[in-house]
């Protein structure tokens, strides 16, 4: 997993953001690679489709506009 390769295990991530438990900046983590940030999945528990339907997707895309490139896996 990318989180392991980039040493980002245990950080809050997408699930926290979409669930309203973290702000966008709190889940976008700098890595050891210059200008590369990672938004990890975050903790499991709530199915991703339920979180995405919760209306937070628009907020996520707005926050992602601060970056030149966004890769969604």
């Amino acid at each position: 997993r990318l989180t392991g390769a980039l040493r980002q295990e245990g950080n809050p991530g997408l699930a926290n953001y979409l669930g309203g438990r973290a702000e966008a900046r709190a889940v976008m983590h700098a890595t050891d690679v210059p200008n590369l940030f990672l938004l990890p999945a975050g903790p499991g528990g709530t199915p991703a489709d339920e979180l995405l339907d919760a209306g937070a997707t628009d907020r996520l895309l707005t926050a992602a506009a601060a970056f030149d490139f966004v890769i969604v896996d």
Side-chain angles (χ1 to χ4, degrees), residues 15-37:
N16 302 95
Y17 176 76
L18 293 177
R21 297 181 308 276
E23 294 296 320
R25 290 281 181 199
V27 297
M28 296 180 192
H29 305 283
T31 68
D32 292 336
V33 178
N35 298 316
L36 178 65
F37 290 78

Side-chain angles (χ1 to χ4, degrees), residues 36-56:
L36 178 65
F37 290 78
L38 176 70
L39 172 56
T46 304
D49 58 338
E50 289 180 23
L51 292 172
L52 290 172
D53 287 342

